[in-house]
Amino acid sequence: MRGISLILTVLSTFTGAAFAAMTYESNEESPGTPAVAVCDGDVYIAWARPDLTLKFGLFELKGSGDLWLDESESLSDRTANALGLSISDDKLLMAWADSDGDVDLVYYKIKSAGDFKFVDKKGVGKKSSGGASVAIGGTRGYIGYVDQKDSRVTVAVYDLGKSRPKRKNIIELPECETNYPCSIGVVDNVLVVAWVNEKGKLSLTTYEIKGSVKDTKLTYVKEYPTEDRLAAQPALAVIGDEVLAAYVDRDDQYIHMRYYTVESDMSLSEGTELRISERPSTSVALALDAKESIYAVYIDEDGEIALHKR
């Protein structure tokens, strides 16, 4: 696949222009979907190696199209499921569900580029039917997963204001019942959940975040079902009041994306739709930076981590 560029086609009626894009390829192999987070131009990726043990590191995007691993850390934990990764200021959270379905998280502090310090590892104490998703909002950390018992999206809330993450409460979302892993994002006081409904199509559901870290409540606002047919789990990324949702289309197998804006009344307004003309072998993970550049990470047809940026 090396040397093959991706074409980003803009399908929105708002603009007919095609945007320049670049694909970066690594030699890091993985059997499952990696996770990506970006802060101040630094790109962090977490993934499972071929033996399913976890690895996390800082990557550099080379002009030659290489995705170069600068610094990394290995974990003995194992998973074949998609991971979650989120950065906010100096906080970094990673979460996954292990081979038994137990949801775990690791908390790092980011000192500077390439200098990340392990703080703590915790078990959430719940089981997921698939992977895990992560979002950070202020001093709250949110771990989203689909509960193994009743197939509902569930969110574990953590206090990140102290030196170590402390679990506060676990909130089940009965409106989001699914057999696929979910993805979550936070925009101010709104939690956005991307999930696959009973028709196998993408839905976005919003919740108002209420209360303090010690007593967080999620109040249902509205569901936004789509006609998008998914081949795998969805992905979410947020920046400011913008939300980007992505998925691998069940029919054409390409990566599709759509922007949403969280309005002041907590409603979602739909915006630009994009398609990346590449067929990954896994689902996709997303990140947005302060300039709203898109970072889409997935496993290519050679079984290696690839990153598409535009």
Side-chain angles (χ1 to χ4, degrees):
M1 240 189 74
R2 187 168 299 279
I4 298 177
S5 62
L6 299 185
I7 300 172
L8 185 64
T9 305
V10 180
L11 304 176
S12 170
T13 57
F14 297 104
T15 175
F19 292 92
M22 183 73 179
T23 301
Y24 302 86
E25 297 178 357
S26 75
N27 293 319
E28 301 292 342
E29 296 182 348
S30 179
T33 305
V36 61
V38 181
C39 184
D40 296 331
D42 297 325
V43 179
Y44 297 90
I45 296 176
W47 71 102
R49 291 178 290 192
D51 66 357
L52 302 184
T53 58
L54 303 184
K55 199 167 184 178
F56 158 73
L58 174 70
F59 282 78
E60 184 178 351
L61 310 184
K62 299 284 190 178
S64 59
D66 290 327
L67 183 60
W68 186 262
L69 180 59
D70 278 341
E71 302 287 342
S72 66
E73 181 168 298
S74 298
L75 290 80
S76 60
D77 303 80
R78 299 172 184 266
T79 186
N81 298 307
L83 299 91
L85 194 65
S86 184
I87 290 179
S88 179
D89 298 325
D90 64 341
K91 307 176 186 69
L92 185 145
L93 272 179
M94 180 170 70
W96 65 92
D98 65 20
S99 57
D100 295 322
D102 294 317
V103 182
D104 296 311
L105 68 89
V106 168
Y107 184 46
Y108 291 90
K109 282 294 187 75
I110 305 297
K111 301 298 182 181
S112 60
D115 183 11
F116 41 88
K117 180 183 178 182
F118 172 85
V119 177
D120 199 11
K121 178 195 170 191
K122 289 183 178 294
V124 173
K126 298 293 182 178
K127 290 184 178 291
S128 169
S129 62
S133 179
V134 180
I136 298 176
T139 60
R140 292 185 183 103
Y142 303 86
I143 312 298
Y145 59 95
V146 177
D147 188 87
Q148 202 175 84
K149 290 183 177 180
D150 56 19
S151 300
R152 291 176 175 176
V153 174
T154 304
V155 178
V157 184
Y158 281 78
D159 179 7
L160 305 179
K162 306 297 182 182
S163 59
R164 297 177 182 274
K166 185 176 181 180
R167 198 185 83 186
K168 293 302 179 180
N169 54 337
I170 293 180
I171 306 168
E172 190 176 81
L173 307 179
E175 299 83 7
C176 304
E177 188 169 341
T178 180
N179 293 317
Y180 291 82
C182 64
S183 186
I184 62 173
V186 172
V187 177
D188 294 329
N189 64 330
V190 177
L191 176 80
V192 183
V193 181
W195 57 288
V196 183
N197 62 30
E198 60 182 6
K199 298 179 180 179
K201 297 179 180 180
L202 173 68
S203 271
L204 273 70
T205 303
T206 55
Y207 293 84
E208 182 181 9
I209 302 171
K210 293 183 177 181
S212 64
V213 172
K214 294 182 179 180
D215 186 26
T216 300
K217 296 180 181 179
L218 299 175
T219 302
Y220 171 78
V221 178
K222 190 174 181 179
E223 180 182 347
Y224 297 83
T226 75
E227 292 302 313
D228 302 329
R229 293 158 50 89
L230 282 69
Q233 66 194 66
L236 275 185
V238 302
I239 188 73
D241 61 357
E242 296 295 312
V243 177
L244 183 63
Y247 61 96
V248 177
D249 186 85
R250 188 189 308 172
D251 298 319
D252 65 23
Q253 299 296 308
Y254 290 131
I255 300 171
H256 291 244
M257 303 181 183
R258 182 180 286 109
Y259 278 100
Y260 294 85
T261 300
V262 178
E263 306 292 352
S264 57
D265 62 355
M266 293 185 290
S267 65
L268 292 182
S269 59
E270 188 175 322
T272 307
E273 184 180 347
L274 315 170
R275 187 187 76 177
I276 296 176
S277 297
E278 181 61 41
R279 293 185 172 100
S281 63
T282 63
S283 52
V284 63
L286 282 181
L288 292 168
D289 65 17
K291 297 180 181 179
E292 298 190 20
S293 296
I294 299 171
Y295 299 77
V297 172
Y298 54 92
I299 303 301
D300 65 23
E301 61 186 11
D302 299 321
E304 297 172 342
I305 298 174
L307 183 148
H308 174 84
K309 180 187 177 185
R310 63 74 97 187

